[in-house]
Amino acid sequence: MVVFDLDDTLYNELDYLRSAYKEIAEFLDPGDWKALYSKMFSLYRCKDNVFEFLSTTHKTEIGFLVAMYRDHHPDIELFEGVLDVFNAIKSKNGKIGIITDGRSKTQRAKLLSLGILNYIDKIIISEEIGSEKPSSANFEAIENALTGAEYYYIADNLKKDFLAPNTLGWKSVALIDNGRNIHFESHKFMTPENQPMEWIMSIKDINIE
């Protein structure tokens, strides 16, 4: 049983943000959206409140902008090698699961855009079960749905991804930040309980035996 996180594990979450910003910019200023998009992304990288800026400059409710962000159809792509790994798992009659935090509509839109729903045997989304990582409930939901001799969890966020699977006896594997991860403070969580059993530089490094 091989279970994956979604954001910054199967694709870069920053690309979701870029996709949403582009759609919002095109809506607010169709004649000069690229300049607005550039401004938005710059503000984000400077840790300024992008939605507050847009609300003020374009007289638009923040709630409307947030809804556009969350509900847009994302233009995102899988990391190289993901489909090869999925196909290798399936060729050995393995099962594939997803455990991800976030809103149901948003996370399912990402999975649909990535084109991998037909590979996934079970999806656990925090909003749908009322529990977020690092709670063990999310991982136990996979165990209850899909029986297996061994469980592997591949993810990226040391703050919350590996505490529960380590406790439950899963094999935990961390995909190292490629420099574009949304969460980039792994150095703060290098305690034994937070660390994975194994590190990989790329999804392509996963060896399906």
Side-chain angles (χ1 to χ4, degrees):
M1 179 68 55
V2 186
V3 186
F4 296 85
D5 175 45
L6 176 57
D7 301 314
D8 283 330
T9 298
L10 298 182
Y11 81 105
N12 265 133
E13 188 175 4
L14 191 64
D15 290 337
Y16 179 87
L17 180 143
R18 290 162 60 94
S19 171
Y21 280 7
K22 179 175 181 288
E23 185 162 312
I24 292 169
E26 288 175 332
F27 174 81
L28 293 176
D29 193 355
D32 195 22
W33 70 266
K34 290 180 181 178
L36 178 58
Y37 169 85
S38 177
K39 175 81 171 183
M40 291 165 63
F41 199 69
S42 178
L43 288 169
Y44 165 77
R45 296 187 71 175
C46 292
K47 298 185 178 181
D48 288 333
N49 191 318
V50 176
F51 293 131
E52 191 173 278
F53 160 77
L54 293 175
S55 177
T56 300
T57 58
H58 288 77
K59 304 298 186 289
T60 307
E61 290 291 333
I62 289 179
F64 175 79
L65 296 169
V66 171
M68 281 193 69
Y69 182 95
R70 293 174 178 169
D71 297 340
H72 89 286
H73 182 72
D75 181 13
I76 52 179
E77 294 184 356
L78 290 168
F79 286 140
E80 185 179 354
V82 170
L83 290 184
D84 290 336
V85 170
F86 280 11
N87 284 319
I89 294 169
K90 291 300 184 179
S91 71
K92 297 183 180 296
N93 297 316
K95 300 290 186 180
I96 298 175
I98 296 286
I99 297 177
T100 179
D101 285 346
R103 293 169 178 80
S104 176
K105 185 174 183 179
T106 300
Q107 299 306 90
R108 289 189 178 275
K110 293 173 183 177
L111 292 167
L112 178 63
S113 180
L114 293 171
I116 56 174
L117 285 172
N118 60 316
Y119 288 94
I120 310 303
D121 297 288
K122 184 64 178 179
I123 300 169
I124 300 296
I125 300 175
S126 62
E127 184 183 66
E128 295 179 358
I129 70 168
S131 174
E132 293 185 353
K133 295 178 289 185
S135 171
S136 61
N138 303 57
F139 298 85
E140 290 167 350
I142 285 283
E143 293 180 340
N144 293 333
L146 303 172
T147 57
E150 285 188 316
Y151 293 85
Y152 291 81
Y153 191 52
I154 294 92
D156 69 285
N157 190 345
L158 267 64
K159 181 179 181 180
K160 64 178 182 176
D161 279 335
F162 305 116
L163 287 163
N166 286 343
T167 301
L168 293 171
W170 289 31
K171 311 295 184 183
S172 55
V173 181
L175 177 64
I176 295 171
D177 184 354
N178 64 3
R180 301 181 68 237
N181 282 16
I182 292 285
H183 303 288
F184 49 81
E185 297 180 329
S186 290
H187 67 281
K188 294 183 179 180
F189 305 99
M190 289 290 186
T191 58
E193 59 269 23
N194 286 83
Q195 290 201 50
M197 298 176 63
E198 183 179 347
W199 302 83
I200 55 174
M201 293 292 294
S202 165
I203 286 289
K204 294 185 290 184
D205 295 336
I206 297 174
N207 183 24
I208 305 301
E209 298 179 350

